Amino acid sequence: MAVSYAQIKEYLSDSEDLKAQSLILPNAAACTILYLESMANLEIIQSFIIQPLLETPYHNIEQFAAATGAQKSSDLELIGHSLLDGYCVIRLENHENVYMISAAQSYGRSIDEPMAEQIIKGSHEGFVESLSTNLYLLRYRIKSPQFKVRYFTIGTLTNTKVAMVYMEKLADPNIVMECENRLKSINLTQLYSTGEIDEMLEEHPLSPFPQSLNTERTDRAVSYLMEGKINILVDGSATVLVLPITFFSFYQSPDDYNSRWIIGSFYRLVRMISFILAISLPAIYIAIVSYHSEVLPPGILYSVKVSLTYVPFPPIVEAIAMQVILELLKEAAIRLPSPISQTIGIVGGLVIGTAVVEAHLVSHTMIVVIGLTAIASFAAPLNEFGTSLRILGFPTMFAAALFGFFGISVMMMVIFIHLCKIETLGVPYFAPFGPFHGKDSMKDIFLRLPVWKSQKNAQLPGPYKQSFTQRWKRH
Amino acid sequence: MNISITQRQLFFLIIKTQIGIGLLSLPSVIQDSAGGDAWISVLGSGLVIQLLILVYWRLCSQYPGMNLREMSLLFFGKYAGKAVNFIYYCFFVVVAGYACTLYVRLIKVWLLPLTPSWVLLLLILAVGVYLAVENLRVVARFYEVASILLIILLGISLASLSNETHISNILPMGQSGMAHIAKGSEKTFFAMLGFEVILYFAAQSKDTPRGLIRTISFANWFVTLFYAFFVFICLIGFSQDALSKVKEPVLFLLRGLTFQLFDRLDLIFLSIWIIPMSATIVSYLCMAGKSLTKKRSAYQRMVWFSGTLVLVLASYLSTRESLDTFSKWMEYGYLVMIAAVPLLMWAMSFLFRSFYKRRLT
């Protein structure tokens, strides 16, 4: 029994954008064409479906269906979903099955550089909201038969398409299988963005550290694919989720590889220092002024103490107040149009910064310390990681206010033990520490050694030498 | 529960357990008996430990995959073996409690004179248990990361050479005579304890016997040289009179240094030293857990329980004025537990080898 128009109409809740066009085919058979006018492209339907249909002799209708790649079905649910995907449904009188032909409309923004992850040199391509465009962007860069895509549909109401991409021989099959199982068992009614997938997949919800990497940069996503990691793309979301991720990935930037290795390594080291500073600088300052002022030589101690003399609060209150003000300024400036956010910058930086010191509410040194900390946390190439660091700064500050240096050491121990404890999809978060994979994996962590050093198959051919002092010299 | 570790991880597990609170006061302790030759004493004690390690190695490689708990069950039978394991458990808890007490004393003297001991103990043990409940691989991972700090500590200690140094303090070599040097070695031995982790952790390393002896010997000589270096810089940095008066010469050595940006390197050194000191306690909590349990959940419960015991014990010990008699007893205990019992086992396995092999199958 064929599915009737009325059934389909009811299935789609009598929505008024469901259009039905009746045609009489050359052999006088009746035919109805159904589509959602919001999802389907009318031009495609008109010129590539209706017109050829009218010209096709009736006995060739199967051939027409095969040529247009039509699917046949009599399942109401499947028909309904294909309509929702922008398909056009052809219903022939006296036919058991209906034909479904893709005629989807797509409006998308053009590919441009992501705002949040800008780089100086290199590719300026970013992902967009359309899943197929994003897949194109990935495949365009890896033209390999090992590039593998698996589709999932998640969200019982939204029916969002999700793609899991990995390199067949590079990715660990156990990790791929685990990730696939987790994706399959996700049960959500709605799915809008990669953030929700991320939260469903992660293993340590209590951890302050992000356990997957969100990126809008195509070159970054591709480089992780080549390391054997998995990319997860969600239709309608311009970010790609990279799994399983390690701590040190958050300190790598595509810029490192686009400039010479000395420059790349230099910035790696700067970022590592920024990690330590962002977590511990305010805490160290608090510990010094409240417990161990003997650590400072008299010259510096004098200027620090002078600026503290008229401040009525303990250092921890100062620090927390300043951190909160900083977060307020940042949060307020993010969403404002840029001319207004400049005003915020002036009000925040100049007015609050100087006035707060002149009113003796906060000391000079504290402003310097908090400013440095904020800058250090912004030095993390991925914004969300910097925020995690600033959040971690708070417990460290409390520990310092209660126990001085001892508190900081204990807090740092807790943070590093935590980093050593967590694993994502069976991969230690703090790799390559832990199960050492040998010396090679350390070549791209604290320093970025040249490509010919860090990649095994980048060796020069036979007669040439390969070392820091002698390159391209013949043996 | 039996998660394997690599050679390198075993190395870090050993050195991080050995390097701990003992080092800070070591130079003045051995200087009392060995004088200017204290650094030779350290090397001598490394040699003794090497011999002991050979025995451990024979045991571990003859019964691969078995830790001390399983070995004692094998050698002493079901009931006596359990009793021996229980004694080991108590021993490890007491050692951890003793180490905690010294640790807290040091913190109170140098950093936080007014904070009550139990608060510090609670913090130390909470962190210790937080790490010790995890599997050995995670513990080793943390030790490995924390070992980067050893480089920083060495760097800081090198700065002390900018003080006035008197190389004449250690000359002429061998002036104090063999007997005194040996006596110094004996004292050093107790500061270098911690290599007994081999008996528990080597079982989990997937290693050939040849690789195992290389790893553990390498760890031993690393620690010995590390200690010898610190003793050496203290010997040339202080006169003998001064050295016998200060309690923590390693810290005092750094105290006088001053730089443009910061003074009191000793406080910075000590703040970093907190991490190796805590690592020692984590290792003992791990061993306490492993000495009685095999299953993961039981092990975790045991670590929690031992942590509480250590807290109670250390709180009691830190109320006592003097620990001298206690530490005397500890030293005898050490000799029995880490030298006598393994030696006995080794002798038994040597004599009745086929009997135990049969029992194993």
Side-chain angles (χ1 to χ4, degrees):
Chain A
M1 180 58 210
V3 178
S4 71
Y5 171 55
Q7 275 175 311
I8 295 175
K9 203 165 155 75
E10 198 196 323
Y11 185 78
L12 293 174
S13 320
D14 275 332
S15 179
E16 286 179 6
D17 59 349
L18 177 68
K19 290 286 170 203
Q21 255 173 288
S22 295
L23 302 174
I24 304 293
L25 293 185
N27 69 335
C31 155
T32 328
I33 289 180
L34 297 169
Y35 56 90
L36 282 173
E37 69 176 347
S38 49
M39 295 300 291
N41 187 333
L42 287 184
E43 239 170 83
I44 293 179
I45 293 180
Q46 203 51 257
S47 46
F48 297 107
I49 296 170
I50 297 184
Q51 216 170 341
L53 201 59
L54 289 177
E55 288 162 6
T56 314
Y58 186 71
H59 56 88
N60 273 351
I61 200 96
E62 284 292 332
Q63 203 185 342
F64 164 77
T68 48
Q71 293 171 308
K72 278 204 306 194
S73 172
S74 61
D75 178 15
L76 178 62
E77 204 166 316
L78 192 73
I79 297 169
H81 278 290
S82 57
L83 278 171
L84 289 172
D85 279 339
Y87 278 67
C88 157
V89 170
I90 305 170
R91 213 178 136 266
L92 294 166
E93 202 86 333
N94 303 327
H95 256 250
E96 185 75 3
N97 292 324
V98 299
Y99 295 97
M100 300 174 291
I101 302 170
S102 171
Q105 175 79 281
S106 82
Y107 302 103
R109 72 184 162 99
S110 59
I111 298 163
D112 50 15
E113 175 155 35
M115 289 291 281
E117 291 174 71
Q118 283 174 347
I119 59 161
I120 302 167
K121 277 202 238 171
S123 148
H124 295 283
E125 248 172 18
F127 287 113
V128 293
E129 279 74 10
S130 146
L131 181 67
S132 53
T133 315
N134 290 349
L135 280 176
Y136 156 77
L137 286 171
L138 290 178
R139 219 187 240 289
Y140 170 72
R141 282 162 177 269
I142 308 178
K143 294 191 181 80
S144 157
Q146 291 178 29
F147 183 97
K148 186 167 172 179
V149 182
R150 303 226 8 157
Y151 285 120
F152 300 85
T153 306
I154 297 175
T156 46
L157 277 181
T158 52
N159 287 309
T160 313
K161 219 169 171 187
V162 174
M164 176 174 122
V165 180
Y166 58 94
M167 298 297 286
E168 177 74 0
K169 283 184 186 129
L170 294 178
D172 180 350
N174 294 326
I175 293 175
V176 170
M177 194 142 80
E178 175 65 27
C179 186
E180 214 177 297
N181 284 340
R182 285 190 198 175
L183 275 176
K184 272 185 200 152
S185 42
I186 287 183
N187 221 336
L188 283 174
T189 43
Q190 63 239 42
L191 175 70
Y192 302 116
S193 69
T194 40
E196 284 149 319
I197 291 250
D198 185 13
E199 254 176 37
M200 291 302 286
L201 289 179
E202 75 177 0
E203 287 157 66
H204 308 277
L206 287 175
S207 170
F209 292 101
Q211 290 143 50
S212 60
L213 189 143
N214 278 292
T215 182
E216 285 188 47
R217 300 197 57 84
T218 50
D219 49 359
R220 179 172 264 163
V222 162
S223 74
Y224 288 126
L225 275 183
M226 298 307 284
E227 282 177 20
K229 296 189 165 117
I230 302 169
N231 283 1
I232 294 175
L233 292 81
V234 175
D235 202 9
S237 175
T239 50
V240 165
L241 208 65
V242 185
L243 283 169
I245 207 69
T246 59
F247 172 82
F248 291 102
S249 306
F250 288 97
Y251 279 92
Q252 298 169 336
S253 160
D255 260 339
D256 300 350
Y257 304 92
N258 294 330
S259 40
R260 296 188 61 239
W261 76 274
I262 296 182
I263 299 168
S265 303
F266 174 66
Y267 284 108
R268 279 281 166 80
L269 290 178
V270 167
R271 286 185 213 126
M272 290 294 156
I273 295 169
S274 84
F275 170 71
I276 300 292
L277 281 186
I279 292 185
S280 63
L281 191 65
I284 290 174
Y285 174 74
I286 291 171
I288 288 178
V289 296
S290 30
Y291 288 91
H292 315 289
S293 42
E294 61 269 36
V295 170
L296 296 176
I300 301 178
L301 184 64
Y302 180 73
S303 57
V304 169
K305 283 284 179 193
V306 163
S307 77
L308 269 174
T309 320
Y310 298 106
V311 178
F313 309 115
I316 176 81
V317 176
E318 268 183 274
I320 286 182
M322 279 315 292
Q323 282 282 37
V324 169
I325 290 174
L326 178 93
E327 292 296 320
L328 276 177
L329 286 173
K330 187 185 141 258
E331 199 52 30
I334 280 181
R335 274 168 262 283
L336 286 175
S338 54
I340 308 180
S341 79
Q342 278 171 13
T343 328
I344 292 256
I346 293 167
V347 171
L350 301 179
V351 179
I352 295 183
T354 39
V356 135
V357 170
E358 273 166 20
H360 297 303
L361 293 173
V362 173
S363 65
H364 290 288
T365 18
M366 184 56 87
I367 299 270
V368 175
V369 166
I370 296 294
L372 260 178
T373 314
I375 291 170
S377 76
F378 290 134
L382 285 144
N383 185 32
E384 54 179 331
F385 198 77
T387 316
S388 302
L389 293 185
R390 283 201 301 282
I391 291 173
L392 276 177
F394 285 101
T396 324
M397 279 193 279
F398 278 113
L402 287 172
F403 301 105
F405 279 168
F406 176 72
I408 298 177
S409 288
V410 167
M411 202 58 218
M412 291 301 250
M413 255 197 314
V414 170
I415 291 172
F416 278 94
I417 290 174
H418 174 75
L419 280 173
C420 291
K421 269 181 144 182
I422 56 178
E423 293 185 353
T424 52
L425 288 166
V427 175
Y429 193 62
F430 218 43
F433 287 104
F436 256 112
H437 310 295
K439 244 164 58 186
D440 290 51
S441 57
M442 291 303 265
K443 285 179 180 160
D444 199 12
I445 298 296
F446 296 112
L447 296 177
R448 185 190 77 75
L449 291 186
V451 182
W452 48 268
K453 216 45 180 156
S454 57
Q455 277 184 25
K456 273 207 194 77
N457 44 10
Q459 298 299 327
L460 287 181
Y464 294 110
K465 288 185 182 174
Q466 173 107 298
S467 73
F468 280 101
T469 46
Q470 291 192 307
R471 279 193 37 83
W472 293 112
K473 297 260 169 29
R474 281 172 188 277
H475 277 292
Chain B
M1 183 72 207
N2 251 339
I3 286 169
S4 66
I5 52 173
T6 62
Q7 272 184 45
R8 195 187 294 257
Q9 288 173 326
L10 183 64
F11 171 79
F12 285 113
L13 281 168
I14 298 170
I15 64 163
K16 282 306 235 186
T17 314
Q18 275 190 276
I19 297 175
I21 191 158
L23 176 62
L24 298 182
S25 51
L26 182 67
S28 58
V29 174
I30 43 175
Q31 191 267 347
D32 281 343
S33 36
D37 291 327
W39 62 280
I40 305 177
S41 294
V42 178
L43 297 181
S45 130
L47 201 65
V48 174
I49 292 174
Q50 183 66 32
L51 293 177
L52 210 50
I53 276 179
L54 279 175
V55 173
Y56 288 4
W57 171 63
R58 290 300 299 164
L59 276 175
C60 290
S61 54
Q62 253 168 34
Y63 303 96
M66 287 177 90
N67 63 21
L68 190 61
R69 185 186 70 85
E70 287 149 335
M71 277 186 224
S72 68
L73 287 178
L74 175 72
F75 283 109
F76 304 118
K78 203 173 165 196
Y79 296 105
K82 271 189 179 156
V84 170
N85 282 333
F86 183 70
I87 296 170
Y88 266 107
Y89 173 77
C90 297
F91 172 68
F92 291 137
V93 167
V94 172
V95 173
Y98 181 58
C100 276
T101 315
L102 295 179
Y103 182 174
V104 166
R105 281 203 175 177
L106 188 75
I107 299 294
K108 280 181 85 97
V109 169
W110 285 84
L111 289 173
L112 299 165
L114 300 177
T115 316
S117 304
W118 66 269
V119 177
L120 298 178
L121 280 171
L122 197 65
L123 272 178
I124 296 165
L125 284 165
V127 176
V129 169
Y130 180 60
L131 181 57
V133 292
E134 284 300 316
N135 63 49
L136 200 56
R137 212 181 264 178
V138 173
V139 177
R141 201 178 294 157
F142 176 70
Y143 285 8
E144 210 173 292
V145 177
S147 296
I148 296 176
L149 294 174
L150 291 182
I151 301 169
I152 299 175
L153 292 174
L154 273 177
I156 294 179
S157 63
L158 280 178
S160 76
L161 295 177
S162 65
N163 283 341
E164 251 184 274
T165 56
H166 300 280
I167 206 85
S168 59
N169 284 355
I170 59 158
L171 294 175
M173 263 188 248
Q175 54 180 329
S176 24
M178 284 306 279
H180 282 112
I181 292 178
K183 207 155 186 293
S185 291
E186 189 201 320
K187 285 184 178 156
T188 320
F189 181 77
F190 293 109
M192 283 169 70
L193 287 170
F195 53 87
E196 60 266 33
V197 291
I198 295 169
L199 287 171
Y200 283 94
F201 297 162
Q204 272 164 270
S205 83
K206 293 271 168 287
D207 221 351
T208 57
R210 188 186 271 280
L212 183 65
I213 186 71
R214 204 171 25 199
T215 310
I216 58 182
S217 313
F218 188 48
N220 176 36
W221 288 107
F222 178 85
V223 174
T224 308
L225 291 177
F226 192 81
Y227 272 45
F229 170 74
F230 275 95
V231 170
F232 186 81
I233 58 169
C234 283
L235 285 175
I236 61 172
F238 288 113
S239 72
Q240 298 211 1
D241 285 347
L243 203 51
S244 55
K245 281 191 189 108
V246 294
K247 224 178 156 203
E248 284 93 19
V250 176
L251 294 177
F252 270 99
L253 197 62
L254 299 166
R255 190 168 186 160
L257 293 175
T258 176
F259 293 96
Q260 307 279 305
L261 196 60
F262 45 83
D263 268 359
R264 293 296 300 272
L265 265 179
D266 55 328
L267 291 185
I268 294 162
F269 185 93
L270 182 60
S271 306
I272 300 175
W273 197 255
I274 284 170
I275 292 155
M277 286 195 293
S278 309
T280 307
I281 288 159
V282 171
S283 289
Y284 278 100
L285 284 175
C286 280
M287 282 196 284
K290 281 190 195 299
S291 66
L292 281 186
T293 58
K294 187 176 170 65
K295 282 210 195 74
R296 178 147 179 72
S297 55
Y299 167 78
Q300 285 180 327
R301 251 176 285 133
M302 192 47 97
V303 169
W304 275 102
F305 178 67
S306 330
T308 325
L309 269 187
V310 173
L311 178 66
V312 173
L313 180 69
S315 317
Y316 164 70
L317 283 179
S318 50
T319 56
R320 291 183 36 153
E321 274 300 308
S322 156
L323 289 172
D324 288 345
T325 45
F326 186 78
S327 42
K328 202 76 225 154
W329 278 105
M330 285 295 299
E331 288 180 5
Y332 292 130
Y334 266 131
L335 285 179
V336 173
M337 303 308 284
I338 67 160
V341 177
L343 274 171
L344 178 69
M345 284 185 176
W346 177 65
M348 283 166 82
S349 88
F350 193 69
L351 293 174
F352 314 109
R353 186 161 178 189
S354 55
F355 172 70
Y356 291 119
K357 281 284 174 197
R358 220 175 315 127
R359 193 189 260 188
L360 201 59
T361 55

